Amino acid sequence: MENKRADALSGGQRQRVGIARALMQDPKLLLVDEPTASLDPKTSRQIMRLILDLCRERGLAAIVNIHDVVLATEFLPRIVGLRAGEVVYDGRAAQVDHAVLTRIYGAEDWTAITQRMHAQRQAHAAGLDTGLEVEAA
């Protein structure tokens, strides 16, 4: 990868290079904007794990802007939801439900998303590796 031109890298490789470039500046806070946009599900999970692992290893805090609700609730312990520039939810990822999604995004049938989040929580409770980070309240 080190000898490839940036335009020859895959989406996941570009994300990794961007993360490496940010870390070279020895930040105190990592700001991550849509790290999984346009990535396949497997690579998205790998990128989220990489971000969490690097933050853990370096003692870094991170703010991750991500619109993939299921991925966010799987990997991130806290969700801050904005609507029209106002905070409408600030709480544990495990508490995100139909009502919270409606507050953040507006009325919609959130059944499929809430079912996927519920399935992830059950898998985590059963001890399966989902990547879910749990924070005590």
Side-chain angles (χ1 to χ4, degrees):
M1 183 165 54
E2 71 269 2
N3 293 323
K4 282 188 176 181
R5 289 178 39 93
D7 60 357
L9 299 174
S10 71
Q13 290 170 327
R14 288 181 188 179
Q15 292 298 71
R16 288 175 181 89
V17 168
I19 292 166
R21 289 180 67 201
L23 292 173
M24 292 298 297
Q25 300 187 31
D26 197 26
K28 303 285 186 242
L29 174 67
L30 194 59
L31 301 175
V32 187
D33 187 24
E34 292 292 347
T36 61
S38 302
L39 298 179
D40 64 82
K42 180 179 180 179
T43 304
S44 294
R45 293 173 57 82
Q46 291 170 342
I47 292 296
M48 292 301 291
R49 278 193 202 99
L50 175 64
I51 292 166
L52 292 176
D53 290 346
L54 290 169
C55 286
R56 208 174 288 117
E57 288 170 8
R58 295 170 177 256
L60 278 175
I63 297 174
V64 180
N65 174 34
I66 186 169
H67 290 90
D68 184 329
V69 175
V70 176
L71 200 62
T73 58
E74 180 178 356
F75 284 92
L76 305 172
R78 178 178 169 198
I79 303 292
V80 177
L82 303 173
R83 183 165 189 184
E86 300 290 325
V87 174
V88 295
Y89 179 77
D90 183 354
R92 294 179 44 220
Q95 303 300 70
V96 173
D97 59 12
H98 186 278
V100 170
L101 292 172
T102 299
R103 269 197 318 232
I104 296 170
Y105 295 108
E108 182 59 67
D109 180 1
W110 300 110
T111 304
I113 289 176
T114 55
Q115 286 175 345
R116 285 175 55 203
M117 291 186 309
H118 179 72
Q120 285 174 342
R121 290 177 190 138
Q122 286 184 318
H124 179 70
L128 301 177
D129 178 25
T130 64
L132 181 63
E133 293 292 311
V134 178
E135 180 177 272

